[in-house]
Amino acid sequence: MTSTAGSRLVGADVADLVLQWCAALFADLDEVAAQVEQQLVVETPRRGDLAIEETCHRLLTDPGRKVAGAGLVLAPDVLTDAAYWLEWWTANPDASPPVPRRLAAETDPRAVGFRDYTHLPWYAVPLATGTAHITGPYVDYLCTDQQTLTFTRPVWRQGAFAGVVGFDLLVRTFEERMFGPLERVEGSCAVVNTAGRVVTSSDLQWVTGDLIRGLPVQRWWAGEAVQHDAWEFWPCPGLPLGVITSR
Amino acid sequence: MADSSLALGAYAAVFAPLEAEGRAEAVARRLGEAITLGLLPDGSPLPSESDLADRFGVATVTVREALAELREDNLIRTRRGRGGGSFVVTPADGGQQALVARLRRMGLGELRDLADHYTAIAAMCAELAALRADPDDVERLRGHVAAGRAYGNGAGRWRAEGNFHLELAAAAQSARLTREEMALQSEVGMLFWLSHAQAGTGNARPGAEPADRHTELVDCIATGDADGARRAAESHVAEMFLAVRTLHRQVWTGRVR
């Protein structure tokens, strides 16, 4: 960071800040993924071979990270003793200290509470693209019960997709972190996802979760050089997040 | 707050921690209701005693007491040994008798109040979803409509109805409305299902096919028609409550026992 506190930022600076922060979170995820992949190397992996609880607890209780959930969700039939399997811990990131709790999720496909997670975007997108993804902002009624961003990346076994590891970040945490930088942008500034949904914004007309209408957000995302007389767009390279600023 | 007890919608509500006294009775009531409502299907395994104790936040001995009560009421059966455990036994009439008894205890005013509350939530969710749903949300909602249609007339039907409205609340991007929707569903879901089931016996007024109403609603959301979405949700909920009120009258006039 070259900017000093209080100095003006432009859209590109904000995009860079988002990128740096997300890169740090994904670096943590890489560590969890490496662990899981190591644990899946055995011939017939079983639930007991997985051991990421300690790592997830460490991440959830680190005051610098403020993640609200962490864990793994395996592809069907990767384990020999469970068709579907997920291990996920949640914590209130604003508690001091945060207390991780195991998410009570039904993984038996015959039971009523079972929900086939393979269709949910935080699983389906890394499966389809083979790369990391940020889902949201969305209301996560299965887990955090709040507006959430979910960071996931694939884990691999013998060259095949074996599931995802991920973090939940409350949108509130994102807002707290980006509030200062956004305020330092002259005029209005908003962080948006690929659907044009607002993650956080310094413009009073847009609130977290709103869809931005009337701006060529889709065409900006498609890389078209669309000029708008009031707004500019700055993608965060490699992330499904971007920044828009008023001219 | 990140709350792991709110794990999986209606299922999570069944297994949420308990506060009150008389814990064994409370556990038995919660599980008994879920079984008679068809929330836990016939033959499905209950979690182990220690798992249940964990989820409810009670001692294992309390769970054991509750299970004994359920066994006496023929709502579960227990097998020992390998592959053993407690399994759900759905009452022969699908629990309708228990639900009719509950409806009998409700006044018409209470019923109207519940309808007003639920309409307020469902209509607001629909309106906001029309403003805030992206194409992926619309796609997911359509998936729920298709799933609801596939349920046909089984007891899973009201769960499909509930899942659709839960997804609608999520598409509205409101955590509070989503929580409210979830809380209300445990009350309205069984009434919708009961009136539908009884309509088959000529006791209630058959309503429109919910999946058709859901399709109309999603079409409004897809085009960003907030007013249309609100109106579609209002008339959809009104229709379902009309069926409930019809049944309520039959119950009170003694035509349904």
Side-chain angles (χ1 to χ4, degrees):
Chain A
M1 274 295 307
T2 49
S3 331
T4 55
S7 67
R8 286 292 175 198
L9 297 182
V10 296
D13 299 323
V14 177
D16 193 45
L17 281 173
V18 172
L19 186 61
Q20 282 178 35
W21 183 22
C22 292
L25 286 168
F26 276 122
D28 288 335
L29 262 194
D30 290 344
E31 186 196 335
V32 184
Q35 240 176 359
V36 172
E37 285 170 353
Q38 186 66 40
Q39 289 157 6
L40 290 177
V41 160
V42 295
E43 187 120 350
T44 53
R46 304 171 68 83
R47 285 174 291 187
D49 293 319
L50 297 166
I52 58 160
E53 180 163 6
E54 206 176 304
T55 312
C56 289
H57 276 221
R58 181 162 50 76
L59 296 171
L60 285 166
T61 51
D62 179 345
R65 287 186 171 83
K66 287 203 154 203
V67 295
L72 69 81
V73 180
L74 289 186
D77 297 321
V78 165
L79 299 181
T80 52
D81 59 348
Y84 288 79
W85 192 245
L86 65 89
E87 295 185 9
W88 200 268
W89 291 268
T90 62
N92 174 4
D94 297 319
S96 49
V99 182
R101 295 170 65 188
R102 176 85 185 253
L103 178 70
E106 185 54 67
T107 49
D108 182 345
R110 293 165 305 170
V112 69
F114 175 76
R115 192 176 158 125
D116 184 359
Y117 47 73
T118 59
H119 300 297
L120 300 176
W122 44 259
Y123 181 95
V125 176
L127 169 64
T129 63
T131 59
H133 184 60
I134 303 175
T135 304
Y138 70 113
V139 177
D140 178 13
Y141 60 77
L142 296 180
C143 182
T144 65
D145 206 22
Q146 312 258 340
Q147 282 220 311
T148 305
L149 292 167
T150 300
F151 294 62
T152 42
R153 58 146 285 177
V155 290
W156 306 92
R157 179 172 186 272
Q158 297 171 346
F161 178 87
V164 296
V165 291
F167 285 143
D168 284 330
L169 193 72
L170 300 185
V171 170
R172 162 162 46 90
T173 305
F174 192 96
E175 286 183 285
E176 277 165 10
R177 179 105 171 211
M178 295 312 295
F179 179 79
L182 258 55
E183 285 296 304
R184 285 161 58 192
V185 177
E186 205 164 349
S188 291
C189 180
V191 181
V192 301
N193 72 6
T194 50
R197 192 181 297 292
V198 173
V199 186
T200 183
S201 153
S202 69
D203 190 307
L204 293 176
Q205 69 173 314
W206 293 318
V207 177
T208 298
D210 282 350
L211 269 189
I212 289 184
R213 313 227 181 224
L215 292 185
V217 179
Q218 297 308 326
R219 296 174 65 195
W220 280 332
W221 271 113
E224 292 178 40
V226 193
Q227 289 292 316
H228 192 278
D229 49 14
W231 296 92
E232 267 183 295
F233 176 71
W234 316 81
C236 305
L239 294 182
L241 297 176
V243 173
I244 59 172
T245 53
S246 60
R247 283 186 189 276
Chain B
M1 302 306 100
D3 183 353
S4 61
S5 68
L6 277 173
L8 288 155
Y11 184 81
V14 175
F15 293 109
L18 294 163
E19 302 284 345
E21 314 264 291
R23 296 187 149 204
E25 290 75 21
V27 169
R29 195 179 333 111
R30 180 88 71 77
L31 287 172
E33 276 176 10
I35 292 167
T36 50
L37 293 178
L39 192 59
L40 301 171
D42 193 37
S44 65
L46 286 183
S48 69
E49 284 181 2
S50 60
D51 203 2
L52 284 170
D54 258 10
R55 296 189 196 218
F56 286 123
V58 300
T60 315
V61 59
T62 308
V63 168
R64 208 164 294 149
E65 219 176 293
L67 293 182
E69 203 174 303
L70 290 168
R71 212 171 295 124
E72 252 170 59
D73 292 346
N74 289 319
L75 290 173
I76 60 167
R77 69 196 146 76
T78 304
R79 278 206 307 265
R80 310 225 164 265
R82 204 176 143 80
S86 293
F87 298 85
V88 171
V89 179
T90 302
D93 68 346
Q96 289 186 39
Q97 206 131 40
L99 294 180
V100 165
R102 185 189 296 197
L103 187 60
R104 184 173 288 118
R105 289 195 297 273
M106 278 183 101
L108 199 52
E110 267 175 89
L111 204 53
R112 194 201 59 187
D113 204 24
L114 181 60
D116 288 347
H117 189 181
Y118 190 65
T119 306
I121 302 300
M124 192 66 192
C125 285
E127 183 176 336
L128 291 177
L131 298 173
R132 296 177 184 162
D134 63 37
D136 287 348
D137 296 327
V138 171
E139 203 50 47
R140 204 158 40 246
L141 282 166
R142 291 205 193 280
H144 279 280
V145 178
R149 232 180 256 287
Y151 268 116
N153 287 324
R157 185 192 186 96
W158 75 260
R159 273 208 303 279
E161 169 72 31
N163 286 343
F164 173 81
H165 283 275
L166 196 54
E167 202 62 53
L168 190 64
Q173 292 281 326
S174 167
R176 277 176 184 261
L177 290 179
T178 305
R179 283 195 285 268
E180 198 76 358
E181 173 67 39
M182 221 185 252
L184 278 169
Q185 274 186 10
S186 63
E187 283 185 77
V188 299
M190 62 110 186
L191 292 177
F192 291 161
W193 173 70
L194 181 66
S195 62
H196 185 81
Q198 292 275 324
T201 64
N203 282 329
R205 183 181 177 282
E209 172 60 40
D212 293 338
R213 295 303 192 219
H214 292 169
T215 301
E216 289 169 19
L217 217 172
V218 180
D219 287 344
C220 291
I221 289 169
T223 56
D225 176 4
D227 287 342
R230 167 177 278 277
R231 278 197 305 274
E234 280 170 351
S235 55
H236 165 53
V237 173
E239 261 175 13
M240 290 193 297
F241 270 105
L242 183 58
V244 176
R245 282 208 307 278
T246 309
L247 177 63
H248 185 263
R249 170 170 294 236
Q250 305 270 25
V251 168
W252 272 30
T253 55
R255 268 170 281 179
V256 176
R257 302 182 39 81

